[in-house]
Amino acid sequence: MAIKPSLPLALFLALAVLPLLLGLGYALAYSLGIIGYGAEGLTLAHWRAVLGSAYFWRTLAFSFYIALVTISLAVGVAMALAVAWPRAFRRGSLSLFIYFPLAIPAIVMAFFIFQLLSGGGLVSRLSWQAGLISGLEQFPGLVNDRWGIGIILAHFLMAAPFFTILFARLYASERAEALVLLARTLGAGPRQAAFRVVVPVLLRRVFPTIVLYGLFVMGAYEAPLLLGRQTSQMVSVLAVQKLQRFNLGDIPQAYVICLAYAAIVLTLAAWLLGRERARG
Amino acid sequence: MAGRFLKYAFIALLLFPFAFLLMLSFGRGWGYPHVFPEQWTLENWRFILESQAGLGHSVLLSLLVSLGVAVPVTLASFWVSRAVSYSPYRRRWLVLAYLPYVLAPVVLAACLQAFFFRGGLSGKVWGVMAAQLFITFPYGVIFFSGFWNRRMQAMEQLVATLGGSRAQAYIRVLIPVAREALMTCFFQIFLISWFEYGLTTLIGVGKVQTLTLKVFQYVNEANIFLAALAGCLLVLPPVVLLWLNRRYVFSGAGGR
């Protein structure tokens, strides 16, 4: 069949690839002092300043930690739910209501978590009513905290339903029930059938989505903006803050952060997904 | 019995954020340690209609932006994804389409901000729509990549064999067959645009006050009741779409 792809492919390049190249190219030129306010010619000073700063690496490590903990918890809980109640998420009321958290945007979820877990939030009020605390200052800091508990919880509440739906669908499409029956016939116990057969099959099918979702959480902006704190920021928040500061000298550093983050994330994605592909 | 209790408890947990937001949106005064607001009022909801409050304006603006992005992007990505899917380099094109998401839309916006500023699009509704195009269009292409398969190719070949033109193949066969996928893609792109915050803030420089920006503005002003109300308004369209068809919120063109 003759296909003339030139015009639509040109549109694809113009709308999907060109903005990316332009943006990254501009950021690179700005970060090297070639263009922009106060540019004095080619310099690696901004790169040295960012890559030599412990704060940048701490920010990157914090983003990675948030993504890793969120995804591990969400995938673990979703897998447990899908394996324990394989039919509940395909028919009946749960099969509808499990979609509802997907209707909540990140900024609203962050606001909800703040009103739930902050010192003056609902859980603190309930604790006071139950006599567990006698004032809001006694309530432990669960938002804007050092460990990013609020950020993790906000993303967990969005990711867990997503993976539950995904696993429940795959449970049916991969005929996991038949696999369990076969494993049981061959003498496996219920736990062995679940952990040695169903979980590896589902995890393998979902691995690329897990990687992409993890990277998405790593670059998250809204929830860390509301629920994070200045001393342990996530990388998107740090980049945007540097870009929007009144000190124009910070702008090249903002672009260095964007580019370094892009390089790290792309390497991570290529490595993880490439390795999975090589395994077949 | 225990299983049924667990199921209803789980459903209650899933619906709790909605009930909580709704409670705050009808409240006034929530002094510590009260569990419920001290006053219940419809005043916050009436606020939407007041022109000075700007919340009604934000609803209309968000609708305009999301519809203005979703309609052209759905049609364009449907057309373009055919060429991408049938290309010998399909996999490479699709990897490129994933990049804006892997890099994070807000990082992309940070890198592109200067171009929008120089093009006079910064702080403009058109600018925000154009910027959202750069993240929604690749999504549309990825979405439809599952639709263009051997069966569709065979249908096109059949139309050609029977003397039909390419336009007739689209109008009489492909678009009717793709109707459900087009609707799903339209609603999903609408929701990506409707939920968008970081990119809209950077390109709109805070002047394009969509609903997501209003939530953040009210949070900063410590007006939790209006923030909850704006949150309710943000959540409403996707919930309606869920009641209509859950595929509109979570599904690919191949039904995955």
Side-chain angles (χ1 to χ4, degrees):
Chain A
M1 190 168 124
I3 297 166
K4 292 176 190 167
S6 54
L7 188 60
L9 282 183
L11 191 64
F12 177 77
L13 289 172
L15 290 179
V17 183
L18 191 66
L20 210 68
L21 291 178
L22 278 178
L24 294 178
Y26 180 84
L28 185 66
Y30 210 120
S31 71
L32 291 172
I34 300 168
I35 53 170
Y37 176 81
E40 291 171 352
L42 191 64
T43 173
L44 287 173
H46 306 301
W47 281 86
R48 273 198 218 105
V50 171
L51 299 183
S53 126
Y55 187 69
F56 169 71
W57 293 107
R58 263 210 316 273
T59 301
L60 210 60
F62 184 69
S63 304
F64 184 73
Y65 147 79
I66 293 284
L68 193 68
V69 174
T70 303
I71 289 299
S72 305
L73 285 174
V75 168
V77 169
M79 182 69 84
L81 287 171
V83 173
W85 296 335
R87 290 182 193 170
F89 298 105
R90 294 206 305 275
R91 60 183 86 110
S93 47
L94 256 183
S95 71
L96 172 68
F97 290 118
I98 191 69
Y99 281 82
F100 271 60
L102 303 184
I104 305 177
I107 189 107
V108 178
M109 187 60 90
F111 169 69
F112 165 69
I113 293 293
F114 191 88
Q115 294 308 325
L116 193 70
L117 296 181
S118 64
L122 187 67
V123 176
S124 168
R125 288 160 194 263
L126 289 171
S127 306
W128 190 93
Q129 301 285 352
L132 298 173
I133 57 171
S134 54
L136 55 90
E137 67 285 349
Q138 288 178 344
F139 191 73
L142 299 174
V143 296
N144 307 123
D145 63 308
R146 191 177 163 199
W147 299 104
I149 295 171
I151 305 171
I152 291 170
L153 194 63
H155 283 292
F156 168 78
L157 291 179
M158 293 185 283
F162 172 84
F163 282 109
T164 306
I165 296 165
L166 207 59
F167 286 137
R169 284 183 181 193
L170 281 174
Y171 197 93
S173 67
E174 296 289 310
R175 296 186 184 149
E177 250 165 17
L179 291 176
V180 170
L181 264 178
L182 183 66
R184 297 294 304 274
T185 312
L186 294 171
R191 278 180 180 224
Q192 278 180 313
F195 285 106
R196 297 252 176 121
V197 180
V198 178
V199 173
V201 167
L202 297 188
L203 271 185
R204 185 129 196 221
R205 286 278 281 121
V206 171
F207 186 75
T209 312
I210 292 174
V211 171
L212 291 174
Y213 204 110
L215 296 175
F216 168 75
V217 174
M218 213 174 146
Y221 181 65
E222 292 94 331
L225 194 63
L226 272 183
L227 302 169
R229 67 187 209 172
Q230 200 68 24
T231 46
S232 43
Q233 284 181 313
M234 281 182 75
V235 74
S236 296
V237 179
L238 177 67
V240 172
Q241 269 189 7
K242 280 209 176 269
L243 201 66
Q244 290 180 326
R245 269 187 202 154
F246 289 108
N247 181 7
L248 294 173
D250 273 346
I251 295 177
Q253 291 195 11
Y255 286 128
V256 174
I257 293 168
C258 289
L259 289 169
Y261 171 73
I264 290 166
V265 158
L266 290 180
T267 310
L268 211 59
W271 176 59
L272 287 170
L273 297 177
R275 214 176 56 154
E276 181 64 14
R277 203 181 161 205
R279 261 199 263 165
Chain B
M1 184 68 184
R4 184 172 284 192
F5 172 76
L6 261 179
K7 185 177 137 186
Y8 287 125
F10 191 59
I11 290 174
L13 207 66
L14 292 172
L15 294 181
F16 176 66
F18 299 91
F20 185 65
L21 285 175
L22 212 56
M23 176 188 92
L24 286 183
S25 77
F26 283 111
R28 184 179 284 174
W30 199 36
Y32 194 87
H34 294 287
V35 172
F36 297 105
E38 286 144 58
Q39 258 186 296
W40 297 94
T41 174
L42 287 171
E43 278 304 305
N44 301 334
W45 284 83
R46 279 202 202 113
F47 214 49
I48 303 169
L49 301 173
E50 288 176 22
S51 57
Q52 281 178 333
L55 204 50
H57 171 77
S58 285
V59 173
L60 291 176
L61 181 66
S62 292
L63 269 175
L64 174 81
V65 170
S66 300
L67 287 173
V69 169
V71 172
V73 165
T74 303
L75 296 174
S77 57
F78 179 69
W79 180 55
V80 169
S81 70
R82 179 183 175 278
V84 168
S85 301
Y86 294 158
S87 160
Y89 306 108
R90 176 182 194 271
R91 198 181 157 81
R92 286 182 201 173
W93 295 127
L94 288 178
V95 166
L96 287 173
Y98 273 106
L99 287 184
Y101 295 96
V102 174
L103 289 183
V106 73
V107 170
L108 180 68
C111 294
L112 286 172
Q113 202 185 21
F115 293 98
F116 281 82
F117 184 72
R118 283 181 194 177
L121 287 169
S122 198
K124 304 265 166 58
V125 176
W126 284 111
V128 168
M129 287 167 79
Q132 290 191 358
L133 201 76
F134 298 149
I135 55 162
T136 50
F137 175 76
Y139 176 83
V141 172
I142 296 166
F143 179 92
F144 284 119
S145 64
F147 174 80
W148 300 106
N149 51 27
R150 282 176 188 276
R151 192 170 147 253
M152 291 304 134
Q153 253 181 332
M155 280 190 186
E156 281 186 71
Q157 282 169 338
L158 187 64
V159 171
T161 308
L162 294 171
S165 65
R166 172 69 62 81
Q168 282 174 316
Y170 266 100
I171 294 165
R172 298 269 174 98
V173 180
L174 296 175
I175 290 176
V177 170
R179 206 175 57 184
E180 179 86 358
L182 283 164
M183 288 276 282
T184 307
C185 182
F186 167 78
F187 286 127
Q188 290 190 5
I189 286 175
F190 177 89
L191 290 182
I192 293 174
S193 166
W194 185 257
F195 286 177
E196 174 51 49
Y197 174 76
L199 183 138
T200 307
T201 312
L202 278 180
I203 303 299
V205 290
K207 288 182 189 167
V208 183
Q209 292 263 310
T210 56
L211 267 176
T212 48
L213 265 78
K214 278 287 178 193
V215 173
F216 196 72
Q217 182 197 317
Y218 290 135
V219 169
N220 274 341
E221 290 171 2
N223 193 338
I224 58 166
F225 307 109
L226 285 185
L229 172 58
C232 285
L233 294 173
L234 265 171
V235 162
L236 200 64
V239 167
V240 170
L241 289 177
L242 270 177
W243 277 111
L244 291 176
N245 189 342
R246 64 200 75 166
R247 276 175 58 110
Y248 293 153
V249 179
F250 183 100
S251 172
R256 283 162 290 138

